[in-house]
Amino acid sequence: MRFDTIIRNGTIVTASDTYAADIGVTGDKISAIAAQLPIENAGRVIDAAGLLVIPGGIDVHTHLDMPFGGTTSADDFQTGTIAAAFGGTTTLIDFAIQYKGQTLRQAFDTWMQKAHNKAVTDYAFHCIITDLGAAQLEEMGDLVREGVTSFKLFMAYPGVFMLDDATIFRAMRQAAKHNGLICMHAENGGAIDVIVQQALAEGKRAPKYHALTRPTTAEAEATSRAIALAEMAGAPVYIVHLSCNDALEKVREARDRGLPAYAETCPQYLYLSLDNMDAPGFEGAKYVFTPPLREKWHQEKLWQGLAKDTLQVVSTDHCPFCFKEQKELGKDDFTKIPNGGPGIEHRLSLIYTGGVHGKRFSANRFVELVSAAPAKLFGLYPRKGTIAVGSDADVVIFDPNEEQVISRKTHHMRVDYSMFEGIQIKGAPKTVFSRGLTVIDGGKFVGRPGAGQFLRRETHNSIK
Ligand code: URP
Ligand code: ZN
Ligand code: ZN
């Protein structure tokens, strides 16, 4: 057999196994895995001695080129997928937003245009539903058939994205009918709005009030309500960007009852806390995202949630806005600060550092959280999310001992600050392949804008 690439001498790590073997890549697929592959038949041979060979990361929560808060997120599908690839992420699931009065298809078409000819690695979409009439309800099935098999609904952002319970329930029933998955932004937007208006009336306008007006109880209540609505609808539910122990407890209770309730958290909730919002001047705006940062003690609860499978996935909720000119839109009023933070690049390194080096879980669990479980839940497995013959050759050669300090000076995201500035990581990608093509090699981007393909996803798979 002829191989375009052989990766030899590495330690393959999947969600279930760790073993020494060579990997052969032919075209865009993994074509062989064996103790020793014949290198004379290979176009290129890479020695991965001392390194881990893992499936490409899958980030199921990003917002590229997204109009929000009076501006547009700073990374588009080119800069965002390049930054992701530097960090070992080779598949994104972004969000196509249906604005009020639009069909779901309009949302899908608009976001397909945004990604076309730009993405360097593969991508898929969830559809954000903001307006669900009879026609859009029908369309949910059409989208599932076209590979958009999950939908994000909001219980927050009244007047923008928020849906009432009846609409959420209708969407869940329809999703259940078509084996789609509902992803829920779970915060009680109505109650939060009352607290926000009171803060403004009291002259509280600094960035920190973004966090102080969004209590953990508002997240826990909405998480519990989302799970209850899903149970009534007979639907699975996936809670996005879970930030605090109160909400985690609601997911734990549901899972203990055997309900198909899933949740993700993001590196910002594992590494940052309310203390970051005390940064001098307006600097706290760098950490204005939703749900907000919490008191520090929640971090360890979330790490334990990842270790014990109360949380199944780590995504980034990458939604970058530059500090200059974008975050500054809210200089005099925290409610006008565009909500979102940049994180697409450092997910794997941060989770490997805190999870594996931090002795909270194994390298297999790390792969499960950043690649295998997202692939299974969102209909991409085993094409993505594992190292197996026949899978896409999305492969990351990862140095578990490479030490770096995160900085905006060295990152590749198109944003003028890093949420994780100064944080030391241990474990970083060295070489990254996307469907057999090298995209990152020796710290350099060598991929091609437009090489990324839209992924028609299968329907959701439940995981235990
Ligand atoms: O603050 C955030 N998270 N911005 C992105 C939109 C969302 O709610 O996920
Ligand atoms: Zn959200
Ligand atoms: Zn988001």
Side-chain angles (χ1 to χ4, degrees):
M1 183 184 252
R2 158 115 201 124
F3 300 111
D4 295 314
T5 306
I6 287 180
I7 303 167
R8 63 195 302 231
N9 300 327
T11 300
I12 297 174
V13 183
T14 67
S16 55
D17 296 300
T18 305
Y19 59 104
D22 295 353
I23 294 177
V25 174
T26 307
D28 58 2
K29 301 284 184 201
I30 295 172
S31 52
I33 302 175
Q36 271 195 323
L37 289 171
I39 55 171
E40 50 288 358
N41 289 332
R44 182 184 179 195
V45 178
I46 300 177
D47 187 6
L51 305 174
L52 308 183
V53 185
I54 61 175
I58 301 176
D59 189 344
V60 301
H61 191 151
T62 65
H63 301 278
L64 300 176
D65 199 359
M66 174 194 178
F68 194 42
T71 182
T72 300
S73 61
D75 273 314
D76 62 16
F77 278 82
Q78 183 167 324
T79 61
T81 52
I82 291 173
F86 269 105
T89 291
T90 52
T91 300
L92 304 181
I93 310 185
D94 205 90
F95 294 88
I97 306 177
Q98 177 230 15
Y99 295 104
K100 292 195 196 315
Q102 286 189 332
T103 61
L104 303 189
R105 175 153 310 281
Q106 279 172 301
F108 181 32
D109 288 348
T110 303
W111 258 261
M112 286 290 274
Q113 281 304 316
K114 285 176 189 269
H116 184 62
N117 280 339
K118 286 201 159 184
V120 306
T121 54
D122 293 351
Y123 55 92
F125 296 110
H126 318 274
C127 183
I128 290 179
I129 299 175
T130 64
D131 188 2
L132 191 66
Q136 290 94 343
L137 205 59
E138 274 310 303
E139 275 192 291
M140 285 177 72
D142 300 339
L143 256 63
V144 168
R145 282 185 285 280
E146 291 182 45
V148 179
T149 56
S150 45
F151 303 88
K152 183 177 178 187
L153 312 180
F154 286 81
M155 299 171 117
Y157 303 125
V160 185
F161 292 140
M162 188 169 125
L163 298 179
D164 59 36
D165 287 354
T167 308
I168 290 170
F169 185 58
R170 259 185 229 113
M172 284 175 161
R173 289 219 291 203
Q174 192 73 346
K177 184 169 153 195
H178 295 285
N179 282 326
L181 180 59
I182 296 293
C183 304
M184 188 64 80
H185 180 129
E187 283 185 300
N188 186 318
I192 286 169
D193 209 33
V194 172
I195 304 170
V196 166
Q197 294 314 319
Q198 183 183 343
L200 290 177
E202 290 169 0
K204 296 171 174 163
R205 290 176 170 254
K208 188 168 190 174
Y209 290 104
H210 172 77
L212 297 179
T213 53
R214 306 184 87 90
T216 56
T217 319
E219 187 178 342
E221 182 280 325
T223 301
S224 164
R225 184 158 37 100
I227 292 168
L229 290 168
E231 185 177 7
M232 285 191 279
V237 65
Y238 178 91
I239 307 295
V240 296
H241 46 43
L242 189 145
S243 74
C244 62
N245 187 54
D246 318 35
L248 186 72
E249 285 300 320
K250 303 298 181 191
V251 177
R252 192 196 323 273
E253 282 165 22
R255 293 179 60 78
D256 283 352
R257 287 204 292 121
L259 293 176
Y262 307 97
E264 63 176 25
T265 191
C266 314
Q268 50 271 35
Y269 303 118
L270 297 163
Y271 277 87
L272 308 176
S273 75
L274 200 49
D275 299 344
N276 291 83
M277 305 212 70
D278 288 325
F282 185 62
E283 299 267 312
K286 293 176 176 173
Y287 311 99
V288 168
F289 40 77
T290 310
L293 290 174
R294 306 303 191 181
E295 288 173 8
K296 206 169 171 54
W297 65 268
H298 290 272
Q299 292 173 0
E300 193 52 39
K301 298 287 186 187
L302 296 178
W303 280 112
Q304 290 313 313
L306 292 171
K308 295 187 178 138
D309 203 40
T310 308
L311 299 168
Q312 292 71 44
V313 173
V314 179
S315 69
T316 61
D317 193 10
H318 177 74
C319 189
F321 297 106
C322 288
F323 186 64
K324 286 251 156 279
E325 290 178 12
Q326 293 194 294
K327 290 287 184 181
E328 280 177 351
L329 290 169
K331 203 138 189 63
D332 304 315
D333 176 350
F334 72 90
T335 65
K336 300 207 163 51
I337 301 170
N339 283 204
I344 207 166
E345 190 166 344
H346 297 109
R347 181 177 65 119
L348 269 61
S349 290
L350 286 164
I351 300 309
Y352 196 87
T353 301
V356 183
H357 286 302
K359 302 202 181 320
R360 293 176 171 107
F361 46 74
S362 67
N364 307 97
R365 179 64 179 157
F366 157 73
V367 170
E368 188 163 37
L369 291 165
V370 300
S371 183
K376 288 177 183 169
L377 284 167
F378 290 97
L380 290 169
Y381 196 86
R383 178 172 175 191
K384 311 280 189 190
T386 194
I387 302 278
V389 172
S391 292
D392 281 359
D394 291 0
V395 179
V396 177
I397 303 179
F398 190 86
D399 183 347
N401 294 311
E402 162 98 14
E403 295 194 37
Q404 292 174 11
V405 176
I406 296 178
S407 174
R408 73 174 167 81
K409 294 189 188 125
T410 48
H411 76 200
H412 302 88
M413 300 176 284
R414 193 162 63 183
V415 62
D416 59 0
Y417 74 97
S418 171
M419 287 196 286
F420 303 110
E421 188 73 35
I423 289 181
Q424 173 110 31
I425 48 175
K426 188 171 177 187
K430 287 191 94 65
T431 310
V432 178
F433 297 89
S434 166
R435 272 185 295 98
L437 296 174
T438 317
V439 277
I440 304 295
D441 208 3
K444 289 207 166 45
F445 171 65
V446 294
R448 182 175 61 77
Q453 290 180 358
F454 169 68
L455 300 167
R456 281 174 80 113
R457 290 181 290 124
E458 303 293 323
T459 53
H460 152 80
N461 279 312
S462 57
I463 55 175
K464 279 283 161 237

